[in-house]
Amino acid sequence: MNMIPFKGDFIDGRFVLPRAGSERAVSEDPGDLDRPVGEFTFDEAAVDDAVQAARRAFGPWSKRSTKERTGYLIRFRHILKARASEFARLISREMGKVLSESKAEIARVLAKLDSARREEADLIRSTVHPIERGVVGRLRFRPRGVVAILSPFNVPAYLASAQIIPALLHGNTVVYKPSELTPFVGQFIASAWKEAGLPKGVFNLVQGAGVVGQTLVSHSNVDVVIFTGSWAVGSKVQEQVSRHPHKLCALEMGGKNSAIVCRDADFSVALDETVSGAYLTTGQRCNATSRIIVEEPIANRFIDGFLRRVNSIAIGYSQDLNAWMGPLVSEKTLKRVEGYLTRARAEGFEVLREGGRFDCGRKGHYLKPSVHLRRHFPNEPLQDGTYTDDEVFGPDVAIYIVRNLDEAIALNNRSHYGLVASIFTKSKAKFERVLREAENGLIHWNAATTRSSGRLPFGGLKRSGNDRPVGFFSPYVCTIPTSSVERALL
């Protein structure tokens, strides 16, 4: 495959190449390192140009009717649908996930475009409340202004679009920074919005590494920051934003997610859902299953079935239709995961299935799925930098054996994170108990931790977020609720 030409940042309605001497980088195909996706350059100086363009465009754009703004979304949808196959191949090539996952991701973007202008719009409709004779109270939602969106590499089209779409629909302007690992996915998105005919400055794209993101987050003319990524980076984003009290900040920062398998679980459902939860996207999901907590009476039977299914996972190149799991996104990521696997042994875990690099006939960042076991409840304090407590973000899962649901819930809550918990049981009462007691923002019943819906809010507790759930609740992040007490004098 040929390298893709780099167009530059997208600012004020046109692509602009960074100035001479800017930093240069290469976007890899993580599954075929002999065929890079393309070279790109970046310069944090472009951030100010992008933010100023967005600020200039905000007034005119916010004054347009919702019907007018919806028209641009509909045109974007038509463009995306027509080029869906091309876009899916690009996502898989640049990020490494298998083609079926990329196609499903684009389908979610199309669904988001539909739900944003239908169901989600109902969340922020104006309401009127009588107060006294001749006086009413009215609640309206106004756009906030310039929205900075920093999106991750793992679901690069959907997680970016899920924030861009509501921000634009409700009258905001956008400066979008994609991951430096998926710059050409970002370029594709910008090209589609350009083709949709958005007015100049309404949507802007800046490319680059962390320094570009830091410059964007700290810019005084940004009103909203929406970040999806690791806790380590997200906590720095929050620190920077705290210096600007006017900015709203929404953070989604990963998880150490648990699947609790009770003794009355449907085995087939539990096995299928936990395998997909642990290894979908090669484990590179904030909602991936990190821990499977199994009740002792069924532990041996569950482990045998789980290992049989893991042994059948087909690893391969992203464009290979027979592959179920692709490579990790980078050599840095692969080495980090390998480090956690080494630490697992030192922390007392049994190795049920060895990880290690995998040769699929191409030079890439391939790693075999691994499984670890711990037979006793961890009583040591939570500690950063450990396999037990960190988010591994790779094709690995730890199985814990517990005596009962009390221990299972306690182990689920023993975490710095609080994104997703799933429970597999036929008992609604057990599920409702987990709903009450689990310290998570998302709680599933007989469904993988990776299950989600654009028609539901998405966000976690503790290090997983800052109580600004997005997903279906995105309109609340990019609008200002405004109350009025009104007396009409005729």
Side-chain angles (χ1 to χ4, degrees):
M1 284 178 271
N2 295 328
M3 291 177 67
I4 299 172
F6 180 59
K7 298 179 181 180
D9 300 306
F10 185 72
I11 299 172
D12 212 16
R14 64 191 182 96
F15 282 101
V16 183
L17 287 170
R19 62 189 177 184
S22 299
E23 293 194 55
R24 182 174 298 275
V26 175
S27 175
E28 295 180 335
D29 177 340
D32 191 345
L33 299 178
D34 293 326
R35 296 181 178 182
V37 179
E39 293 185 349
F40 66 103
T41 54
F42 59 92
D43 181 0
E44 65 267 29
V47 170
D48 186 62
D49 293 337
V51 173
Q52 297 301 345
R55 176 59 63 193
R56 289 192 300 271
F58 172 64
W61 178 249
S62 64
K63 291 181 176 68
R64 292 188 182 230
S65 67
T66 301
K67 184 177 180 180
E68 279 186 277
R69 296 194 293 260
T70 298
Y72 292 101
L73 268 64
I74 292 171
R75 286 197 284 278
F76 178 79
R77 191 189 193 285
H78 290 326
I79 293 162
L80 201 61
K81 187 174 182 181
R83 300 178 65 187
S85 179
E86 174 193 354
F87 195 19
R89 288 195 300 273
L90 172 60
I91 293 169
S92 288
R93 182 183 175 192
E94 191 165 43
M95 185 265 150
K97 70 172 70 176
V98 295
L99 198 55
S100 58
E101 285 195 52
S102 297
K103 290 178 178 179
E105 182 176 347
I106 293 169
R108 291 192 70 189
V109 177
L110 296 175
K112 180 68 176 183
L113 283 157
D114 294 336
S115 66
R117 65 181 199 270
R118 295 173 186 163
E119 295 99 323
E120 288 180 26
D122 290 335
L123 294 175
I124 57 169
R125 292 199 186 280
S126 176
T127 57
V128 180
H129 309 276
I131 295 177
E132 60 185 61
R133 184 178 178 85
V135 179
V136 298
R138 192 182 301 270
L139 171 63
R140 299 177 178 87
F141 291 84
R142 297 182 296 160
R144 286 188 175 270
V146 177
V147 179
I149 296 169
L150 294 84
S151 67
F153 70 84
N154 55 342
V155 192
Y158 178 74
L159 290 178
S161 297
Q163 316 310 332
I164 294 168
I165 291 163
L168 296 179
L169 177 62
H170 299 299
N172 302 276
T173 54
V174 167
V175 181
Y176 158 52
K177 183 207 168 296
S179 167
E180 62 270 30
L181 298 173
T182 53
F184 289 95
V185 171
Q187 179 171 286
F188 188 102
I189 292 170
S191 297
W193 281 114
K194 182 177 188 292
E195 189 177 340
L198 276 178
K200 293 193 304 181
V202 171
F203 172 87
N204 304 272
L205 163 78
V206 290
Q207 300 274 23
V211 64
V212 175
Q214 291 167 18
T215 305
L216 177 57
V217 164
S218 60
H219 199 289
S220 59
N221 265 326
V222 167
D223 300 293
V224 180
V225 173
I226 303 175
F227 169 83
T228 306
S230 70
W231 174 80
V233 177
S235 59
K236 293 177 183 176
V237 169
Q238 189 167 41
E239 182 181 348
Q240 288 178 295
V241 171
S242 68
R243 300 168 192 163
H244 304 271
H246 72 282
K247 291 184 186 179
L248 185 146
C249 181
L251 303 173
E252 197 285 285
M253 300 181 291
K256 189 74 172 176
N257 310 299
S258 299
I260 299 170
V261 183
C262 296
R263 64 193 72 196
D264 66 336
D266 181 304
F267 255 63
S268 179
V269 171
L271 288 168
D272 288 345
E273 294 289 300
T274 52
V275 170
S276 66
Y279 302 109
L280 202 67
T281 323
T282 321
Q284 298 169 114
R285 287 196 176 201
C286 61
N287 55 4
T289 304
S290 299
R291 302 177 295 175
I292 302 174
I293 303 169
V294 188
E295 288 195 297
E296 193 170 35
I298 59 164
N300 290 338
R301 182 184 166 201
F302 176 85
I303 290 168
D304 288 346
F306 187 83
L307 290 174
R308 281 197 300 271
R309 280 167 167 77
V310 175
N311 289 337
S312 69
I313 289 175
I315 306 170
Y317 184 55
S318 62
Q319 316 286 327
D320 180 355
L321 298 182
N322 295 318
W324 188 87
M325 190 177 87
L328 289 163
V329 73
S330 69
E331 179 70 15
K332 180 180 178 181
T333 299
L334 191 152
K335 287 181 176 178
R336 182 180 54 77
V337 174
E338 287 180 323
Y340 280 120
L341 301 186
T342 300
R343 276 172 246 169
R345 291 176 182 270
E347 292 170 32
F349 285 84
E350 299 175 37
V351 180
L352 298 184
R353 192 181 196 279
E354 193 80 52
R357 302 198 180 205
F358 179 80
D359 183 1
C360 75
R362 294 175 188 259
K363 186 180 178 183
H365 308 305
Y366 296 96
L367 193 66
K368 292 181 285 188
S370 53
V371 184
H372 291 84
L373 174 67
R374 188 158 180 178
R375 296 182 181 275
H376 61 276
F377 192 97
N379 291 315
E380 63 271 19
L382 290 169
Q383 184 176 347
D384 289 331
T386 63
Y387 171 83
T388 304
D389 298 326
D390 280 5
E391 181 183 31
V392 174
F393 220 65
D396 175 80
V397 72
I399 297 176
Y400 292 81
I401 300 174
V402 295
R403 291 175 295 182
N404 50 45
L405 187 56
D406 292 344
E407 285 190 355
I409 294 172
L411 181 52
N412 170 78
N413 292 344
R414 187 198 169 280
S415 177
H416 289 302
Y417 296 93
L419 187 56
V420 195
S422 293
I423 180 169
F424 293 87
T425 176
K426 294 172 185 172
S427 167
K428 186 177 181 181
K430 290 180 182 179
F431 167 60
E432 290 177 340
R433 182 182 171 194
V434 172
L435 270 177
R436 292 191 303 270
E437 299 180 20
E439 297 170 357
N440 303 85
L442 310 169
I443 300 172
H444 303 332
W445 185 16
N446 296 321
T449 59
T450 47
R451 299 269 187 178
S452 62
S453 170
R455 288 180 164 85
L456 293 170
F458 190 95
L461 311 178
K462 304 179 185 178
R463 287 186 181 178
S464 293
N466 66 334
D467 200 26
R468 301 285 187 190
V470 286
F472 192 70
F473 277 13
S474 291
Y476 293 136
V477 173
C478 56
T479 59
I480 303 169
T482 305
S483 301
S484 302
V485 176
E486 303 175 11
R487 186 195 304 273
L489 300 176
L490 301 178

